[in-house]
């Protein structure tokens, strides 16, 4: 759920999803200047979008060897390392980005995500807050901080962050997921259902969203609608069946116990 950002050389911040179309034409990408660090850094984005993490890492390494001061290349390598679970390497790269540009708001966000994974929430919140101070219009930072706050048990703070994230970007799926989790924690099932329906509207292929919505509907006693959601979940993501069926049985037993 946490959102890191990959960065195109000389341009703004863009998520990896925005490079999916570009990645399909990867074989046609040519480095007009083999000594241009930015070209390697940009090609890394396309390779990552295609699922070639090792190829993307190789391009980042080449970009850094050509231009050791290229912040985008360190950022991209850090995000790739984070995706692979290399928290030490990712932290080193994000630290380097911040050394190059101490006002790089997204680098603080990315580093905060690493800190959350390391369990250092105090440092994570310092970085999230710094990122917000530098760029108060980045919906992903509020979303990430919201997830961290929820993990720490700050339900009100998490809800405020998810609300703010959605206010800025009404199409950020992860923010609706986060808010649905908070509302579920508060037993606010109607609003949980509303957020999950919005997730499905934005991402119709999310089997997990259908499965979770089905569980909420089952708790509400809307069995027919719940069954439709479960069928869609199993169709989209069959691997979820064992865990979901276990949750279904638990809810049915709880309902039976309540009479």
């Amino acid at each position: 759920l946490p959102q890191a950002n990959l960065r195109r050389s000389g341009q703004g911040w863009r998520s990896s999803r925005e490079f999916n179309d570009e990645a399909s034409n990867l074989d046609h990408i040519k480095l007009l200047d083999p000594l241009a660090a930015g070209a390697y850094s940009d090609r890394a984005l396309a390779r990552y979008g295609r699922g070639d993490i090792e190829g993307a890492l190789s391009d980042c390494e080449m970009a850094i060897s050509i231009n050791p001061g290229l912040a985008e290349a360190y950022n991209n390598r850090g995000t790739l390392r984070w995706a692979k679970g290399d928290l030490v390497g990712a932290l080193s790269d994000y630290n380097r980005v911040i050394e190059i540009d101490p006002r790089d708001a997204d680098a603080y966000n990315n580093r905060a995500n690493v800190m959350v994974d390391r369990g250092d929430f105090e440092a994570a919140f310092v970085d999230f807050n710094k990122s917000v101070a530098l760029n108060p219009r980045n919906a992903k930072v509020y979303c990430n901080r919201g997830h961290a706050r929820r993990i720490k048990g700050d339900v009100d703070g998490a809800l405020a962050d998810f609300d703010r994230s959605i206010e800025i970007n009404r199409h950020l799926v992860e923010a609706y997921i986060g808010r649905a989790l908070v509302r579920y924690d508060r037993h606010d099932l109607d609003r949980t259902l509303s957020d999950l329906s919005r997730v499905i509207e934005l991402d119709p292929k999310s089997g997990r969203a259908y499965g979770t919505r089905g569980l909420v509907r089952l708790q509400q006693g809307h069995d027919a609608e719940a069954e439709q959601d479960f069928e869609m979940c199993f169709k989209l993501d069959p691997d979820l069946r064992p865990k979901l069926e276990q949750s279904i049985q638990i809810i049915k037993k709880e309902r039976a116990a309540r009479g």
Side-chain angles (χ1 to χ4, degrees), residues 125 139 142-168 174-188 191-192 195:
F125 287 123
Y142 292 100
C143 182
N144 292 341
R145 191 174 65 180
H147 284 296
R149 283 178 163 170
R150 177 177 177 269
I151 292 170
K152 292 295 291 179
D154 180 7
V155 178
D156 291 337
L159 185 60
D161 272 341
F162 291 130
D163 284 343
R164 179 59 176 149
S165 179
I166 291 168
E167 180 183 339
I168 296 170
E174 293 76 10
Y176 288 99
I177 293 173
R179 192 168 70 177
L181 292 172
V182 172
R183 287 174 165 173
Y184 185 81
D185 291 342
R186 298 176 117 181
H187 307 290
D188 186 352
R191 290 187 178 182
T192 300
D195 278 336

Side-chain angles (χ1 to χ4, degrees), residues 108-150:
Y108 288 101
N109 169 59
N110 293 347
R111 190 171 70 176
N113 288 332
V114 175
M115 293 302 182
V116 170
D117 284 352
R118 286 164 62 100
D120 189 349
F121 286 89
E122 183 177 352
F125 287 123
V126 169
D127 276 348
F128 281 138
N129 295 342
K130 180 70 171 179
S131 182
V132 167
L134 289 169
N135 181 9
R137 296 290 300 173
N138 190 334
K140 291 182 179 180
V141 181
Y142 292 100
C143 182
N144 292 341
R145 191 174 65 180
H147 284 296
R149 283 178 163 170
R150 177 177 177 269

